[in-house]
């Protein structure tokens, strides 16, 4: 919810849900983009996409496009063509990566590929994890264990790409600083 609020997609927009998994963001994104908008879920896991497809069908969301692809390895031109072939636009208005970039071995390359799928002045949101801070610092061993078990790199800090490469920055944190939320408008400088 915090990531989608920071991203602030609007009615009619096309939003990429990077590492969409089972489609947990879809309901909140639907509330923002409406039936005139499009949600493009991209995930490397066929099993996750199967669940996302079931979720979309069960709720009658005809404006959801699901693509299996690895964000690190994909070619943005090829993915844009696949989105168009599925009824979407070649470029998207926004992208959201929720707990997904820290799972990718080369999140910087994934960032480059994401921005290659976006329109000029698109918005990008990143929600990811770091060690807890302040009063919650004592939870650090548990947070590190949970991230390691889940396969994410708690030291990746992929929201830094938003801070460094976007303007009109929205910044937030939650759960003792463990959750980091950033959103901003791309400048298309990388």
């Amino acid at each position: 919810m915090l990531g989608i609020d920071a991203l602030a997609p609007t009615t009619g927009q096309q939003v990429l849900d990077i590492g969409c998994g089972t489609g947990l963001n879809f309901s909140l994104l639907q509330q923002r983009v409406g039936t005139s908008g499009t949600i493009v879920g991209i995930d490397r896991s066929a099993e996750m996409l199967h669940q996302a497809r079931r979720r979309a069908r069960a709720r009658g969301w005809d404006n959801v496009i699901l693509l299996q692809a690895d964000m690190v390895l994909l070619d943005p031109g090829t993915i844009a063509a696949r989105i168009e072939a599925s009824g979407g636009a070649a470029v998207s208005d926004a992208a959201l990566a929720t707990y997904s970039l820290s799972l990718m071995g080369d999140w910087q390359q994934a960032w480059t590929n994401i921005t290659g799928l976006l329109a000029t002045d698109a918005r990008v949101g990143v929600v990811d994890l770091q060690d807890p801070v302040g009063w919650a610092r004592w939870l650090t061993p548990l947070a590190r264990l949970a991230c390691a078990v889940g396969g994410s790199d708690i030291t990746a800090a992929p929201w830094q790409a938003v801070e460094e490469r976007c303007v009109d920055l929205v910044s937030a944190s939650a759960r003792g600083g463990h959750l980091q939320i950033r959103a901003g408008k791309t400048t298309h400088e990388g």
Side-chain angles (χ1 to χ4, degrees):
M1 174 101 165
L2 293 172
I4 294 169
D5 287 345
L7 185 65
T10 59
T11 301
Q13 287 191 324
Q14 179 169 293
V15 179
L16 301 175
D17 188 353
I18 305 302
C20 68
T22 63
L24 291 177
N25 286 330
F26 293 175
S27 181
L28 293 171
L29 288 171
Q30 286 288 346
Q31 292 174 25
R32 297 296 187 105
V33 302
T35 57
S36 63
T38 305
I39 298 168
V40 179
I42 301 174
D43 202 288
R44 65 183 173 200
S45 168
E47 294 82 18
M48 293 284 195
L49 288 170
H50 175 72
Q51 294 301 319
R53 190 168 287 106
R54 287 181 60 197
R55 180 184 305 270
R57 281 190 197 133
R59 288 163 179 83
W61 296 330
D62 296 329
N63 61 338
V64 175
I65 297 169
L66 298 172
L67 300 175
Q68 185 177 359
D70 185 319
M71 286 307 302
V72 174
L73 303 175
L74 66 76
D75 169 57
T78 301
I79 293 300
R82 287 177 60 194
I83 294 169
E84 274 190 305
S86 298
V91 294
S92 294
D93 304 297
L96 178 65
T98 307
Y99 312 119
S100 59
L101 291 177
S102 63
L103 290 168
M104 299 177 193
D106 186 355
W107 70 261
Q108 295 92 342
Q109 182 60 50
W111 172 270
T112 299
N113 292 337
I114 292 166
T115 58
L117 293 167
L118 296 174
T120 302
D121 294 331
R123 289 194 54 81
V124 181
V126 172
V127 178
D128 228 304
L129 307 167
Q130 72 172 11
D131 284 338
V133 296
W135 65 267
R137 184 175 303 272
W138 70 274
L139 294 168
T140 297
L142 182 59
R144 287 183 180 182
L145 176 63
C147 287
V149 168
S152 85
D153 178 0
I154 198 167
T155 66
W159 58 86
Q160 290 177 346
V162 179
E163 294 174 344
E164 296 168 1
R165 301 177 191 143
C166 292
V167 297
D168 300 332
L169 188 68
V170 174
S171 177
S173 66
R175 297 190 184 135
H178 184 50
L179 296 183
Q180 293 296 309
I181 301 105
R182 302 292 187 282
K185 186 168 55 169
T186 59
T187 61
H188 276 284
E189 293 177 12

